Amino acid sequence: PPPDTGPLDLTKSTAQWIDRTTVAVKDDGAAAGTTTRLVADPEGELAVRDGELTGTGRESALREIPGGLSATQRARFPHLSAYAAYEVAPRDQKHTAEDLTGQVILTRRAPDGTLTAATGVQTQGVLDDLYAARATKARLGPVFREGGVTLSVWAPTAQSVALELGGARVPMRRDGVSGVWSATGPKYWSGKSYRYVVKVFSPSARAVVTNKVTDPYSLGLTADSTRSIAVDLTDKSLAPRGWRELRKPEAVPLRNAQIQELHIRDFSASDRTAKARHRGTYRAFTDARSKGSRHLRKLARAGTSYVHLLPAFDIATIPERVADQKRPDCDLASFAADSERQQECVAAVAADDAYNWGYDPFHYTVPEGSYATDPDGTRRTVEFREMVRALNRDGLRVVMDVVYNHTAASGQDPKSVLDRIVPGYYHRLLADGTVATSTCCANTAPENAMMGKLVVDSLVTWAKEYKVDGFRFDLMGHHPKANILAVREALDALTPAKDGVDGKRIILYGEGWNFGEAADDARFVQATQKNMAGTGIATFSDRARDAVRGGGPFDDDPGVQGFASGLYTDPNSSKSNGTAAEQKARLLHYQDLIKVGLTGNLADYTFTDSTGREVKGSEVDYNGSPAGYAAAPGDALAYADAHDNETLFDALAFKLPPSTTPADRARMQVLAMATAALSQGPALSQAGTDRLRSKSLDRNSYDSGDWFNAPPWDCRDGNGFGRGLPPAADNKSKWPYGKPLLTSVKVGCAEIEGASAAYRELLRIRTTEKVFGQRTTGQVQRKLSFPLSGRAETPGVITLRAGDLVVVFNATPETQKQQVRSAAGSMYRLHPIQAKGTDRIVKSVSYESSSGIFTVPGRTVAVFSRSAS
């Protein structure tokens, strides 16, 4: 048949059945006398041919409701507020559950019977109305009881569900109230592989299909996720030695957390000091003598409290068996520092190599198999636990990066799980019924009850069964605030006596960005920066990050400078920076943004800005939004770089004048990191940034392999800079800027080890001086001030007074004198940790008690402490 077009288009679903009584339809001013109906066909054969509906189905007449949706319905579905509302007749409502197991369309006919509209119907709302009250209380996936195993899956629209277990097919029984199908078998089911066989109408296929699909609540998987495994996570054989008695490092409150962000494969894949059979796996963390492990312990001793692991759940795009993983067929080290060849070789195998960041979830509650020494079976469970145990013993608690905002695929794709069981439910659909992809992939819909339940249930499993100490939410702003608060409530209910973990000590933070179809609370109150303030759940703050680095992460010209990259005080040749006057004005505004960041991004903290006005943090502008949005320290997470965008070293390579010496590059790196480490609230650093980590200017290394991603654990191998032009897919437009840098910018062991030591010294100051861990806005207001802020402040210098400490951030190339008149008469000296440290330049600082003048050399952050005499 010809393709459906215009208003007669069953490939789209523009009507929305929001509850058992109501269908919402975009108000298009239907003519008087128009008849609107729902048509349901269990065979899924309804179609439009030559302007007429073909196929047969049960029809339900709809009556338009004057005034549209009710206030309650508009609150539940704000994006549908302007839609017309139609009532499903009470006599037809008794058929709703049956109708939903087939194809459902909405038709409109003119008084003469002409078909004027035909469209598919979105059914997420009515499914929640019918089933959520009971289904949200169900235990899904494998549940082990005395003498048997029950496997359950929520599939309310399925016409039948069977369990394929080994070579047998077992029928499953449907609970009509919850929509859950289940089967119970003997104890020998434990450890068996299984799939569900689901017969269901698929809107994307426009047919009734039979899908063989893994369990969304899988706890174990065969290699490459082809089948689920009925895994009992309480089985003693899956617990490494000492697991049940594992003593964790002391829990650090989120407001004091110092976090290292680390990719599991990066940690060891290129570390020759890790055991060969462990490289790139969970077990590498048990290699206590490897350089990577030794460095993590150094950081832990200095005050790092958490390691944040990039996604470690089952990933859709990595072949899990080593034999199936491709490697670059080139001698990468033989090519020139600015060659295109390295990226060509890496890109040629990127789709099939062992590398991916992992932001493409396949199964949410099973460890990724490629990080296990054997992906087929339960080694991944045991070895993930061994990793957690090893990190805990090294003095570090473990945060897991979680990605519930999207899936790797939807529809009938072989790597689609949720959508092949309950088609059209788990993903957020746009007005025409297509899946939203604003997150890069198929957006999920945690606002729907059972997707929200999956998020909560999965996280509780990771916390309880894997002893994960915290969670970082990818694109958290695409979650409802209520969903994230439900996670907090569920974790808080975990107790050591009952569950073996103290859920109240688990930290939560995420990306509170505001964009896409959910932006500005269009569909629900989002878990965004401003909305999460006061919840105790932190959001990443981009304000100080951009001010420190300069510009934004997506600038066409990467040479836009900032506070730590020489803006105004050490200008480069980029015309994008503007005139000297424009640079000075922007630099002073950046300094205000950094001051707000140092307070913990507090909305109500009051200070004098660089124009001389007394302002609150919320009154400082950040690209049209308030710079300060936090209600208390701990609401905002500070950082200078993370896995996304260029590493800090690479950003500075683009921005600092090319003539900047290796030593000065290292000093500016430390200064940039200090603005996050010495702020109120938590701070995060990408693993290796303290060691000047480079990815050879790659701004998006998610699939760039080990070559571009290896961290510099051994300084003799360099820091990663000059490994060739970065992959063309995301970087080619920047090649003209980067090519001359790759052959000229160099750092060596002195700079790498010196920067790392200086950063660790700042960490020790941050974690041993209580003034950096204030609890409330009032405490920060009393303890912190910027005594030289105002019209006369020095461009490129920020002076912070924090209790008995004075911190001077001198980002200029020259020695600067900062006179703090209120300090005159008091005795200050360089903080003992820096005084005994490795940085000889910072030891040249001076202080004049009579005048209150602090003298600090260029490109230096110095911490002064007040002494009794």
Side-chain angles (χ1 to χ4, degrees):
D4 299 348
T5 59
L8 304 179
D9 188 353
L10 298 189
T11 67
K12 300 294 195 302
S13 296
T14 61
Q16 304 202 31
W17 198 346
I18 62 172
D19 57 40
R20 68 192 75 195
T21 67
T22 312
V23 177
V25 182
K26 193 169 184 179
D27 191 354
D28 56 2
T34 296
T35 302
T36 304
R37 296 179 181 272
L38 288 179
V39 185
D41 176 16
E43 303 301 322
E45 294 177 348
L46 297 173
V48 175
R49 292 185 177 86
D50 299 325
E52 190 49 72
L53 187 68
T54 64
T56 58
R58 203 188 71 79
E59 296 192 2
S60 302
L62 301 177
R63 180 186 66 85
E64 186 169 7
I65 303 171
L69 301 179
S70 69
T72 300
Q73 290 170 330
R74 286 176 177 148
R76 172 71 178 85
F77 304 98
H79 59 298
L80 304 181
S81 292
Y83 277 45
Y86 287 82
E87 181 186 27
V88 181
R91 67 177 179 275
D92 291 316
Q93 291 176 27
K94 62 184 179 181
H95 298 290
T96 296
E98 178 186 353
D99 290 346
L100 289 169
T101 63
Q103 181 183 18
V104 181
I105 68 169
L106 180 140
T107 63
R108 278 179 165 169
R109 293 185 183 274
D112 64 359
T114 302
L115 185 67
T116 59
T119 182
V121 178
Q122 299 182 35
T123 60
Q124 312 95 307
V126 68
L127 288 173
D128 277 350
D129 187 34
L130 287 178
Y131 300 109
R134 181 70 68 88
T136 52
K137 297 178 175 61
R139 293 185 65 186
L140 301 176
V143 175
F144 297 82
R145 296 185 177 90
E146 191 78 30
V149 183
T150 298
L151 292 163
S152 301
V153 61
W154 188 66
T157 62
Q159 296 179 6
S160 67
V161 182
L163 176 66
E164 190 178 84
L165 187 89
R169 182 171 291 191
V170 180
M172 301 183 78
R173 186 171 60 184
R174 184 181 193 274
D175 176 64
V177 179
S178 66
V180 172
W181 298 73
S182 61
T184 299
K187 198 169 184 179
Y188 74 78
W189 278 15
S190 179
K192 297 289 186 184
S193 64
Y194 68 97
R195 290 186 300 186
Y196 297 124
V197 183
V198 183
K199 183 180 180 182
V200 66
F201 176 77
S202 167
S204 64
R206 292 178 66 191
V208 174
V209 296
T210 299
N211 289 322
K212 293 185 177 183
V213 62
T214 47
D215 192 342
Y217 274 71
S218 292
L219 298 177
L221 292 163
T222 59
D224 293 325
S225 314
T226 56
R227 289 177 179 266
S228 303
I229 301 175
V231 173
D232 181 359
L233 294 178
T234 66
D235 188 326
K236 293 180 181 179
S237 68
L238 303 183
R241 182 178 299 175
W243 178 248
R244 300 189 188 282
E245 304 79 30
L246 178 63
R247 296 189 64 178
K248 288 186 167 290
E250 182 179 354
V252 174
L254 180 57
R255 70 178 184 278
N256 290 329
Q258 296 294 307
I259 305 164
Q260 279 280 302
E261 181 195 64
L262 177 62
H263 182 265
I264 289 171
R265 183 172 176 85
D266 282 355
F267 174 67
S268 61
S270 303
D271 185 354
R272 294 186 297 272
T273 63
K275 293 178 181 177
R277 65 183 181 279
H278 291 171
R279 291 174 197 165
T281 73
Y282 304 118
R283 297 208 75 190
F285 290 88
T286 69
D287 293 342
R289 296 183 179 181
S290 73
K291 290 196 172 183
S293 290
R294 289 177 180 178
H295 188 63
L296 288 184
R297 287 197 296 276
K298 283 183 183 178
L299 290 170
R301 288 193 295 269
T304 297
S305 41
Y306 293 87
V307 163
H308 158 159
L309 300 172
L310 265 64
F313 48 60
D314 184 44
I315 298 168
T317 52
I318 301 178
E320 292 189 335
R321 293 185 177 91
V322 173
D324 297 331
Q325 297 167 357
K326 295 182 180 178
R327 295 166 182 78
D329 187 22
C330 303
D331 181 3
L332 297 172
S334 69
F335 301 126
D338 61 348
S339 172
E340 298 180 22
R341 292 295 309 282
Q342 295 96 325
Q343 64 89 30
E344 287 176 358
C345 294
V346 168
V349 298
D352 300 300
D353 68 359
Y355 198 91
N356 199 284
W357 277 348
Y359 291 93
D360 49 348
F362 200 170
H363 297 85
Y364 284 119
T365 322
V366 185
E368 163 59 17
S370 70
Y371 299 149
T373 58
D374 181 356
D376 201 6
T378 55
R379 288 307 305 166
R380 60 178 83 192
T381 295
V382 176
E383 292 175 4
F384 188 102
R385 289 169 165 174
E386 288 177 339
M387 174 183 67
V388 172
R389 180 188 62 181
L391 285 166
N392 287 173
R393 289 178 174 176
D394 284 345
L396 296 158
R397 291 169 78 91
V398 178
V399 170
M400 189 173 166
D401 201 325
V402 290
V403 189
Y404 296 103
N405 64 81
H406 63 247
T407 58
S410 62
Q412 287 295 107
D413 189 284
K415 291 187 177 179
S416 169
V417 177
L418 298 169
D419 214 22
R420 290 197 294 147
I421 295 175
V422 192
Y425 176 83
Y426 283 101
H427 291 93
R428 185 173 301 130
L429 305 183
L430 299 175
D432 64 356
T434 56
V435 176
T437 57
S438 58
T439 65
C440 83
C441 312
N443 296 4
T444 60
E447 64 270 28
N448 296 340
M450 295 303 286
M451 184 63 213
K453 171 183 167 61
L454 175 56
V455 173
V456 174
D457 290 349
S458 176
L459 288 167
V460 167
T461 300
W462 285 112
K464 185 175 174 181
E465 304 297 348
Y466 290 94
K467 301 189 180 183
V468 174
D469 305 295
F471 299 98
R472 176 267 194 192
F473 291 88
D474 182 63
L475 300 183
M476 188 169 70
H478 272 57
H479 286 255
K481 177 180 178 179
N483 178 234
I484 303 300
L485 293 181
V487 169
R488 179 76 273 172
E489 183 180 6
L491 294 175
D492 285 349
L494 301 177
T495 65
K498 177 171 60 76
D499 307 292
V501 297
D502 185 350
K504 289 181 176 161
R505 294 182 180 272
I506 292 172
I507 65 170
L508 300 177
Y509 56 95
E511 293 181 303
W513 315 135
N514 177 37
F515 69 96
E517 73 286 346
D520 301 321
D521 301 331
R523 295 189 175 221
F524 43 77
V525 177
Q526 301 161 265
T528 48
Q529 289 170 324
K530 68 182 180 69
N531 289 343
M532 296 307 290
T535 64
I537 299 167
T539 53
F540 283 81
S541 173
D542 43 358
R543 278 72 165 149
R545 176 204 69 185
D546 288 353
V548 167
R549 293 163 67 113
F554 307 111
D555 293 335
D556 291 334
D557 179 357
V560 178
Q561 291 177 288
F563 177 77
S565 57
L567 179 64
Y568 181 67
T569 65
D570 193 15
N572 61 28
S573 60
S574 171
K575 294 181 180 179
S576 299
N577 285 311
T579 65
E582 290 169 336
Q583 289 189 43
K584 181 180 179 181
R586 191 164 82 251
L587 174 58
L588 290 171
H589 183 66
Y590 278 166
Q591 290 177 200
D592 288 337
L593 290 173
I594 294 168
K595 292 167 203 166
V596 175
L598 289 167
T599 72
N601 266 88
L602 296 174
D604 290 337
Y605 178 87
T606 303
F607 71 106
T608 302
D609 72 6
S610 57
T611 69
R613 296 184 307 133
E614 186 174 280
V615 295
K616 292 181 177 180
S618 60
E619 295 171 334
V620 177
D621 176 71
Y622 172 72
N623 299 333
S625 296
Y629 63 83
D635 285 347
L637 184 145
Y639 69 115
D641 78 341
H643 65 276
D644 279 324
N645 311 311
E646 292 89 352
T647 68
L648 180 57
F649 183 89
D650 288 345
L652 294 178
F654 275 129
K655 297 171 188 298
L656 287 168
S659 60
T660 306
T661 66
D664 281 341
R665 290 182 186 279
R667 300 193 70 77
M668 295 300 266
Q669 180 109 348
V670 172
L671 186 140
M673 295 181 76
T675 61
L678 298 181
S679 68
Q680 299 292 316
L684 176 141
S685 173
Q686 183 176 194
T689 292
D690 63 304
R691 297 181 62 79
L692 309 185
R693 182 182 187 177
S694 168
K695 297 180 183 178
S696 206
L697 302 177
D698 191 349
R699 63 165 295 270
N700 188 18
S701 68
Y702 80 100
D703 203 18
S704 299
D706 299 326
W707 178 252
F708 288 100
N709 282 288
W713 300 142
D714 189 336
C715 67
R716 293 172 297 182
D717 296 330
N719 70 331
F721 198 80
R723 293 197 169 191
L725 286 164
D730 288 302
N731 300 280
K732 193 168 186 178
S733 65
K734 303 294 193 302
W735 280 4
Y737 298 96
K739 190 173 178 66
L741 297 172
L742 290 170
T743 56
S744 61
V745 172
K746 299 184 186 301
V747 292
C749 282
E751 293 78 33
I752 292 170
E753 300 296 352
S756 183
Y759 171 69
R760 295 197 305 273
E761 289 157 14
L762 292 171
L763 267 187
R764 283 199 291 273
I765 293 171
R766 194 266 180 251
T767 54
T768 56
E769 294 286 355
K770 293 182 179 179
V771 72
F772 292 112
Q774 301 302 302
R775 294 172 178 266
T776 67
T777 295
Q779 290 174 344
V780 176
Q781 189 75 63
R782 289 190 293 273
K783 293 285 187 179
L784 265 65
S785 64
F786 301 95
L788 301 183
S789 186
R791 289 182 177 274
E793 75 177 272
T794 307
V797 184
I798 296 172
T799 298
L800 164 69
R801 194 167 187 181
D804 290 332
L805 304 179
V806 172
V807 185
V808 179
F809 301 87
N810 180 7
T812 76
E814 296 85 22
T815 296
Q816 299 287 348
K817 294 181 181 294
Q818 296 285 283
Q819 185 173 26
V820 181
R821 297 185 186 279
S822 60
S826 299
M827 296 299 298
Y828 282 89
R829 60 179 181 175
L830 185 65
H831 195 285
I833 290 175
Q834 284 190 307
K836 297 175 183 177
T838 58
D839 182 2
R840 288 178 295 176
I841 292 177
V842 78
K843 294 177 186 179
S844 68
V845 301
S846 63
Y847 169 70
E848 298 173 11
S849 174
S850 60
S851 60
I853 293 178
F854 297 84
T855 302
V856 177
R859 299 182 171 117
T860 296
V861 54
V863 182
F864 297 84
S865 59
R866 186 162 60 182
S867 57
S869 60

